[in-house]
Amino acid sequence: MEEAIQRDLNSDFNGVGEKLQVFKYPHPVLKKVAEPVTEFDADLEQFCKNLLHTMYTAPGIGLAAPQVGVSKRIFVLDISYQREDVTLADGSKEKRCTEFNPLVFINPVLKELDGEQLHEEGCLSLPGLYESVKRYSSLEVEYQNCSGEVKSMKAEELLSVCIQHENDHLEGIVFLDRLSLLKKNLLKKKFLKKKKNK
Ligand code: NI
């Protein structure tokens, strides 16, 4: 199924999915523990494509279902795609994504968490905020794909960071919650002030 998604994205990225609204912190849906996925059907596959489309358009390297208001245990990632400016026939410019490597994780479970790394993180639900967060350096994730098949993947470095960040969204946690209380309150204030002035 992921192969199918990849093929669709490569042929025509703009026609594949619908751009969904990304909810910003402190929207209550971001604090909810997400429900497991039990039905693996065409709607689920389309939803995953919409999530990917929204992530590529934002642009971001990861997006979890609760961020678009769907409290289900799903997230998508792509840490290696390229984004380039393309000049169209009428002279206007457009951003095009190439070299997609979409990953879809449904009902993920993190195991074999080991080591420690610090990485600067950002989040589409907290635009403009970036901060170093302490995470495990390596892990194994067991998950289901769009067809419901159980898969597993080992991850380290950036991929491991992204999996932990997105998995946190399924637990109602944003990266601010992983910082010291002092830093969290400071950044939260900064973010809410900026949001209000927009
Ligand atoms: Ni996030």
Side-chain angles (χ1 to χ4, degrees), residues 62-64 67 121-126 165-166 169 173-175:
L63 189 61
Q67 292 181 274
E121 295 184 23
C123 180
L124 294 176
S125 294
L126 287 148
H165 176 117
E166 299 310 329
H169 279 300
I173 294 168
V174 296
F175 79 89

Side-chain angles (χ1 to χ4, degrees), residues 21 101 159-160 169:
Q21 189 198 344
N101 185 24
L159 182 59
S160 160
H169 279 300

